[in-house]
Amino acid sequence: MMRNTSLALLFLLSSTVGNASAQSWAEKMFPVKDHNFGTVARGADTVYKFEITNPYKQDIIVTGVRSSCGCTSPTLETADGKPPENGQIVLKSHEKAYVVARFNTRTHIGQKGATLTVSLGGQYGGEVQLHVSGNIRSDIVFNPGAIEFGEVSEGEVKEQRVTVNYAGRSDWEIVDVTNDNDNFEVELLEANRTAGKVSYDLIVRLKNNLPAGHVKDQLTVVTNDNRAENQRIPLIVSGNVRPEFSVTPAQLVLGEMKPGAHVTKKIVVRGKEAFKIVDVDCGEDCFEFKTDSDEAKKIHFVDVTFRAGEAPGKVQTPIRIVTDRDNRGATCVASATVIEPAAAPAAAGAAETPVGETADSGAVRTASTP
């Protein structure tokens, strides 16, 4: 009886150690496993992405994710921000993906928390638990829940408005809106105040010098709440600024050349409105540029000439096109490879002279007849 009990305990111990080991390798794929949303307003768009990275040689399959609480809705997302096609993500070595945790601020209020269980498959299976928490205030409501600019053209001035409604203290107010991004302008207007209720209009403008690309940032609404943890409420700002100009090709491949050789190719610069090219530069002496016209038009052609230097190697540099549109422009990347010159072939029938020997070394001489 004692022997059977010992065997059972040994089996249980080895199983527990094995599970802990399996859990350990899986947890190494998640650099962050806990996130606190802090205090957020009701209706606010509140999202956090847990990064997953495969540090192993074997493929790892992220098969799914589930939540312990309806206050948080988890989904999977590929590295390029898309949902997986079949609900699963295959991660090869060093590839990334995300578990997206969305706090359901429209349907829940108060202090909430959830455990997100991520299931992993492949050669080895396992599960990793992630944790989120936060306080959803019922007395403050954002409408809409975020500043979403959508698609914006470069150079365009655009604004969005959020209404902030509060019900509670009669002396409650927003004392500041902090913004660490110089590309935003923020305006706060008190729209209405009655007994125990106040409404604000929060206006956010994108400046016309915002560079092209995705915008993802956060404003902080600062209030005069008595409790310090309730005084700072985040508000997400997002959008996508489309470039005003485009260059074709974006990657200008000039090929392989011998030292001293040169090549000329064209790039096409397009704009949404007529523009002038005021400068083309790359900071390299081996490039020359010639524009087709000094007139304003929507399409320009630029001749790019590259002259190979004497040193072999790869040359890669950005070409910057500056226009008269508030000095905005476009960029493409040019690349070329300078190769070693081929060695000159030896003359036909000529014998090579070994190092350290004379040309007539070992020659057979014929003695003359006396």
Side-chain angles (χ1 to χ4, degrees):
M1 184 67 177
M2 285 285 292
R3 183 172 181 273
N4 291 338
T5 303
S6 299
L7 288 174
L9 288 173
L10 181 61
F11 175 79
L12 179 61
L13 180 61
S14 63
S15 176
T16 302
V17 171
N19 289 337
S21 176
Q23 190 75 6
S24 176
W25 75 259
E27 288 181 349
K28 289 180 180 179
M29 299 177 62
F30 295 81
V32 176
K33 293 182 283 295
D34 294 273
H35 179 73
N36 187 347
F37 290 111
T39 297
V40 298
R42 188 170 188 181
D45 288 350
T46 308
V47 177
Y48 182 78
K49 293 184 178 182
F50 290 96
E51 181 184 300
I52 316 172
T53 302
N54 178 11
Y56 306 107
K57 294 181 179 180
Q58 299 88 348
D59 291 355
I60 303 295
I61 304 174
V62 186
T63 59
V65 58
R66 63 185 185 273
S67 175
S68 65
C69 175
C71 64
T72 306
S73 298
T75 55
L76 298 178
E77 189 176 276
T78 60
D80 56 359
K82 298 178 180 179
E85 294 183 359
N86 59 355
Q88 299 182 351
I89 300 176
V90 178
L91 291 180
K92 296 187 178 300
S93 183
H94 302 300
E95 287 187 343
K96 297 180 184 295
Y98 298 94
V99 173
V100 182
R102 184 176 297 275
F103 219 25
N104 295 325
T105 62
R106 290 171 177 80
T107 56
H108 291 74
I109 59 173
Q111 187 67 39
K112 297 294 179 181
T115 298
L116 312 180
T117 303
V118 185
S119 300
L120 304 173
Q123 185 174 354
Y124 307 98
E127 289 187 342
V128 175
Q129 291 188 334
L130 312 174
H131 304 278
V132 295
S133 60
N135 179 29
I136 306 169
R137 293 186 60 166
S138 60
D139 53 349
I140 301 178
V141 180
F142 285 170
N143 186 26
I147 299 287
E148 176 54 67
F149 286 102
E151 297 287 331
V152 182
S153 297
E154 186 179 10
E156 179 183 359
V157 177
K158 193 171 183 180
E159 70 176 38
Q160 291 288 351
R161 182 184 303 253
V162 166
T163 300
V164 183
N165 294 312
Y166 170 83
R169 288 169 36 205
S170 58
D171 62 343
W172 185 91
E173 62 180 344
I174 297 175
V175 296
D176 194 11
V177 179
T178 62
N179 168 32
D180 295 331
N181 194 324
D182 292 335
N183 296 312
F184 302 151
E185 290 181 346
V186 180
E187 183 178 356
L188 181 67
L189 303 172
E190 185 176 308
N192 185 40
R193 182 178 289 272
T194 59
K197 292 184 179 181
V198 62
S199 177
Y200 287 91
D201 286 332
L202 180 59
I203 303 167
V204 180
R205 298 184 183 91
L206 286 182
K207 295 182 181 179
N208 62 356
N209 60 351
L210 186 67
H214 289 282
V215 177
K216 190 70 174 181
D217 217 310
Q218 177 179 294
L219 304 178
T220 302
V221 177
V222 184
T223 74
N224 67 342
D225 280 280
N226 295 326
R227 299 176 62 181
E229 62 269 24
N230 290 340
Q231 291 175 355
R232 303 178 67 84
I233 306 170
L235 178 62
I236 301 298
V237 182
S238 62
N240 183 31
V241 181
R242 297 190 305 266
E244 183 176 358
F245 303 97
S246 64
V247 182
T248 305
Q251 301 286 335
L252 183 63
V253 180
L254 300 170
E256 295 182 345
M257 280 172 287
K258 297 178 181 179
H262 71 276
V263 63
T264 299
K265 291 191 177 184
K266 288 185 184 292
I267 58 176
V268 184
V269 186
R270 292 181 172 86
K272 296 181 179 179
E273 298 181 15
F275 66 96
K276 295 180 181 180
I277 294 179
V278 298
D279 190 25
V280 183
D281 180 55
C282 71
E284 297 283 351
D285 295 336
C286 51
F287 283 88
E288 297 176 1
F289 307 101
K290 182 181 178 181
T291 58
D292 61 343
S293 173
D294 294 331
E295 300 177 357
K297 53 185 182 178
K298 291 185 177 181
I299 300 177
H300 287 266
F301 296 91
V302 179
D303 288 338
V304 179
T305 300
F306 172 72
R307 299 184 184 279
E310 296 300 322
K314 187 171 183 179
V315 178
Q316 183 168 305
T317 183
I319 298 174
R320 293 174 290 273
I321 297 98
V322 181
T323 76
D324 62 341
R325 301 274 294 168
D326 296 326
N327 287 325
R328 289 193 301 274
T331 302
C332 74
V333 177
S335 62
T337 302
V338 181
I339 60 176
E340 292 271 10
E352 294 185 358
T353 303
V355 176
E357 295 184 10
T358 60
D360 61 351
S361 174
V364 177
R365 298 185 180 184
T366 306
S368 59
T369 304

